[in-house]
Amino acid sequence: MHKILLGLQFLSALIGFIYFFRLKNSYWRWFSVYLVFILAQEVIWTFNVFSLDHNSNIRYYYYSFIGIPVQYLFLFWLYAFKSLNNKKLFYAFIFIYGLTYIPIEFYYGKIKFVNSINLTIGTTLLAFLVVMEFVKQIKNDNILKFKENKMFYINAGVILFYIGTYPYFAFSEILSTKEYISVWNMYYMYFLLSNYAMYLLFAASFIWGKHRLK
C-alpha cells in the first residue's frame, strides 16, 4: 500500500517537474518544488538512503521539526499569501504556528507533546484557510469554472487528507490500543485512500488548472 502512495507521489512530482519549465514567472513553480521535496523526503526515509539506525529518533525528529512544518508553512503561504492575497494573515499564522514549538519544547522537552500541539494548531489554521478559500470561490465565477481552478483541486486534496486525517494522527496512541484497534484500522485505510486522492488531485491541478502569473 505504501508503494502505491510512493508511486502517486512520484507521479505528482514528475508532472510538477514537467510543468515547472512551463510556468515561467508564475508562483506555481514553487508548488512543483514542494511536490519534489515531499517525494525526496519520502524516498530518503522509505529506502533509508543515508543508512541511519532504524532504532534512533532521527526520523521522528526530522518530521516533527522539518518534514511536517515545511508542509504547513508552504500551505499557509499558498493559501494566505498568494490565493487570498492577505500578507498580514500569513505572517500572523506563521507566528502562531511557530509558538507551538519553542515554549513547549523549552519547558517540557517532550517531542510527542510538541508534535501533538503543532498538529492541532497547524490543522486548525489550515482549516480556517480552507474555509476562506471556499468562500472566495463561491463568491465569484470561479466555482462555475472549477475544472480550470488550480485551488479547487488543492483545496479538495487538503480537506481530504490534512483535515480529514487529523483525528488519526492526534489520537493515534489511543486508537492503536486493543480496545479501538478496529477504528484505527478503518482510519488507517482512510489515511491511505485520502493520501492517494490528494496527490492525484495535486497532479490534476497542473493538467487542468489555469496558472496565475502573480
Side-chain angles (χ1 to χ4, degrees), residues 32-67:
S32 301
V33 174
Y34 166 78
L35 292 175
V36 172
F37 168 79
I38 295 297
L39 174 65
Q41 72 176 11
E42 291 303 315
V43 169
I44 288 172
W45 291 108
T46 298
F47 298 102
N48 196 16
V49 173
F50 298 113
S51 301
L52 298 172
D53 183 2
H54 285 286
N55 295 321
S56 69
N57 289 322
I58 295 177
R59 175 173 180 170
Y60 195 79
Y61 274 92
Y62 169 81
Y63 276 105
S64 295
F65 291 96
I66 299 177

Side-chain angles (χ1 to χ4, degrees), residues 62-81:
Y62 169 81
Y63 276 105
S64 295
F65 291 96
I66 299 177
I68 295 175
V70 166
Q71 295 178 50
Y72 278 115
L73 294 177
F74 176 81
L75 291 173
F76 291 164
W77 173 81
L78 183 61
Y79 273 87
F81 198 94

Side-chain angles (χ1 to χ4, degrees), residues 20 29 33 49 75 78 95 118 131 138 144 154 163 193:
F20 177 85
R29 297 185 98 189
V33 174
V49 173
L75 291 173
L78 183 61
F95 177 75
N118 162 268
V131 172
I138 64 176
L144 301 177
I154 293 170
I163 298 175
L193 294 177

Side-chain angles (χ1 to χ4, degrees), residues 69 72-73 75-77 79-81 84 86-101 118 121-132:
Y72 278 115
L73 294 177
L75 291 173
F76 291 164
W77 173 81
Y79 273 87
F81 198 94
L84 298 173
N86 193 327
K87 296 180 181 180
K88 291 183 179 180
L89 183 65
F90 168 69
Y91 291 124
F93 277 21
I94 292 294
F95 177 75
I96 295 171
Y97 185 74
L99 291 178
T100 65
Y101 283 100
N118 162 268
I121 298 300
T123 304
T124 300
L125 296 176
L126 190 55
F128 179 77
L129 291 174
V130 164
V131 172
M132 290 187 67

